[in-house]
């Protein structure tokens, strides 16, 4: 079944069929409905490459996703949830999604840009790609519409979407302070990544506002994964003036800190209160359940798609302000009040 056969059976021209399937105003509603019903009945599917050439639009968005950890077998469940949220938001906006592969060392710095032009992509969404990615730098400088989630990059048509990381960290510290804790340590993510740096800034700001001392040994850099949280927890618990509470900048690290406490024969939250960040599924499954700062994954996905569509439809005349999504403190057993 092709457009010529569909036109013959509909009793109209191929141009009319094309206009009807593309919602052009020149076709009456009755004709449009008739053609669409027949197309559905006969299983007609438009030739997408041809439609792209005619409409100069592909309705397809590229996705760049490289956390830098997959190569060593580490997978972040929060990022998987975020990817699902982006996919859902694109689907609801009638966009297709194309995953752009990560260039190897031998590939050109223009690999992403070449893929965008070759497939006529309308824009690109970037998830947590390292800020020194030269291939991404070329893409952002090219003027291709780009929305980065938790990615710091700038260009003539770029926008950053992120959670309010600093405010979320402040809320976690305030919660622990309200429980009576005065020795509050933190396990950060990799500090070259914007979310980790912002969560550390929020932690420090809250401690300064509350008059809490932050010895250098109370701040340990992790990598967002469980083993680094467990290692950091052991170091903190070995201190002569050990903390009574830990704010970890990621849930996996928070669970690791809880494991470290168990290894030392300590009880959570009686001997050590723990708060994480993200609210991954495992946060409610561990025992005691993990208190955490929840990120709105659906909100992040929808905001990224909306911001990207704005860049696609109209080039901004001035830099686009970052889109910041609020977080929410979820209190569970690992920092149960009254303990």
């Amino acid at each position: 079944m092709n457009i010529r056969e569909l036109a013959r059976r509909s009793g109209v021209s191929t141009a009319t069929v094309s206009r009807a399937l593309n919602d052009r105003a020149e076709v009456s509603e009755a004709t449009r409905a008739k053609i669409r019903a027949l197309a559905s009945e006969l299983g007609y599917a438009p030739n997408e490459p041809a439609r792209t050439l005619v409409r100069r639009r592909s309705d397809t968005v590229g996705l760049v996703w490289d956390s830098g950890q997959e190569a060593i077998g580490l997978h972040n469940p929060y990022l998987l949830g975020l990817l699902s949220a982006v996919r859902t938001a694109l689907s609801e906006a009638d966009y297709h999604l194309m995953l752009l592969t990560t260039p190897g060392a031998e590939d050109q710095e223009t690999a992403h840009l070449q893929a965008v032009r070759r497939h006529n992509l309308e824009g690109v969404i970037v998830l947590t790609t390292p800020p020194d990615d030269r291939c991404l730098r070329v893409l952002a400088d090219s003027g291709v519409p780009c929305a980065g989630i938790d990615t710091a990059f700038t260009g003539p048509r770029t926008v950053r979407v992120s959670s309010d990381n600093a405010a979320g960290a402040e809320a976690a510290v305030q919660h622990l302070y309200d429980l009576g804790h005065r020795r509050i340590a933190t396990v950060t993510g990799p500090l070259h990544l914007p979310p980790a740096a912002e969560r550390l800034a929020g932690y420090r700001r809250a401690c300064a506002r509350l008059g809490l001392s932050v010895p250098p040994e109370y701040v340990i850099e992790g990598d967002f994964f469980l083993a680094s949280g467990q290692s950091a927890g052991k170091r903190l618990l070995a201190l002569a003036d050990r903390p009574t509470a830990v704010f970890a900048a990621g849930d996996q690290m928070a669970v690791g800190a809880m494991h470290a406490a168990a290894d030392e024969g300590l009880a959570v939250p009686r001997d050590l209160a723990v708060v994480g960040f993200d609210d991954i599924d495992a946060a409610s499954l561990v025992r005691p359940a993990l208190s955490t700062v929840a990120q709105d994954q659906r909100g992040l996905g929808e905001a990224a798609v909306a911001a990207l569509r704005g860049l696609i439809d109209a080039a901004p005349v001035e830099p686009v302000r970052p889109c910041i999504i609020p977080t929410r403190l979820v209190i569970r057993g690992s920092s149960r009040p009254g303990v």
Side-chain angles (χ1 to χ4, degrees):
M1 177 58 58
N2 56 45
I3 193 170
R4 290 186 297 277
E5 181 63 15
L6 182 58
R8 186 186 69 79
R9 297 196 188 194
S10 302
V12 297
S13 67
T14 56
T16 298
V17 171
S18 177
R19 294 188 186 105
L21 295 178
N22 286 292
D23 287 328
R24 298 281 293 275
E26 301 95 322
V27 182
S28 70
E29 280 300 323
T31 300
R32 190 193 326 274
K34 173 186 174 182
I35 292 172
R36 289 195 163 193
L38 186 59
S40 177
E41 177 186 339
L42 298 175
Y44 169 75
N47 183 314
E48 289 298 337
R51 291 185 72 202
T52 296
L53 289 174
V54 172
R55 297 168 63 239
R56 297 181 182 274
R57 298 193 63 162
S58 65
D59 293 332
T60 303
V61 168
L63 176 73
V64 177
W65 178 20
D66 177 20
S67 69
Q69 299 290 343
E70 286 74 19
I72 56 176
L74 295 175
H75 301 279
N76 191 325
Y78 167 73
L79 294 183
L80 295 176
L82 186 56
L83 174 60
S84 178
V86 168
R87 182 189 61 193
T88 299
L90 284 171
S91 177
E92 291 176 350
D94 294 325
Y95 276 87
H96 304 293
L97 180 64
M98 176 180 289
L99 180 63
L100 303 184
T101 58
T102 303
E106 71 282 357
D107 290 327
Q108 299 178 356
E109 295 180 2
T110 59
H112 288 334
L113 181 58
Q114 289 178 4
V116 168
R117 291 173 173 167
R118 182 166 59 250
H119 299 288
N120 198 27
L121 301 183
E122 297 196 40
V124 175
I125 291 178
V126 182
L127 297 186
T128 64
T129 298
D132 59 349
D133 189 306
R134 291 178 296 178
C135 201
L136 178 60
R137 177 73 271 153
V138 171
L139 180 65
D141 288 340
S142 71
V144 170
C146 295
I149 302 180
D150 285 339
T151 299
F153 67 112
T154 57
R157 300 177 73 186
T158 62
V159 60
R160 182 191 174 202
V161 178
S162 71
S163 294
D164 197 339
N165 293 296
E170 286 194 69
V173 174
Q174 181 69 59
H175 165 62
L176 293 168
Y177 181 89
D178 291 342
L179 293 176
H181 295 283
R182 298 298 181 264
R183 301 197 303 275
I184 304 173
T186 186
V187 183
T188 77
L191 292 177
H192 67 278
L193 297 178
E198 291 164 1
R199 291 169 199 176
L200 176 59
Y203 162 84
R204 289 193 179 280
R205 192 160 61 208
C207 289
R209 174 172 53 81
L210 297 170
L212 300 180
S213 173
V214 182
E217 58 270 22
Y218 272 24
V219 179
I220 298 179
E221 184 173 349
D223 62 7
F224 284 134
F225 294 96
L226 188 143
S228 70
Q230 187 167 5
S231 174
K234 288 184 179 296
R235 289 171 57 186
L236 291 170
L237 294 174
L239 295 173
D241 194 20
R242 74 185 187 198
T244 62
V246 172
F247 162 60
D251 283 348
Q252 288 199 61
M253 296 190 300
V255 172
M258 292 169 64
H259 286 185
D263 291 343
E264 297 298 320
L266 303 177
V268 174
R270 186 191 66 203
D271 301 313
L272 182 73
V274 180
V275 177
F277 205 110
D278 288 336
D279 198 23
I280 62 176
D281 290 342
S284 61
L285 300 178
V286 295
R287 288 294 178 267
L290 178 65
S291 295
T292 186
V293 178
Q295 299 197 70
D296 182 359
Q297 294 180 329
R298 180 65 183 265
L300 287 165
E302 291 178 346
V305 172
L308 184 65
R309 293 181 69 184
L311 293 173
I312 291 171
D313 294 338
V317 296
E318 57 186 31
V320 181
R321 296 180 62 182
C323 182
I324 308 299
I325 306 299
T327 56
R328 176 174 56 91
L329 180 64
V330 180
I331 300 174
R332 299 192 179 104
S334 68
S335 64
R336 186 170 64 250
V339 178

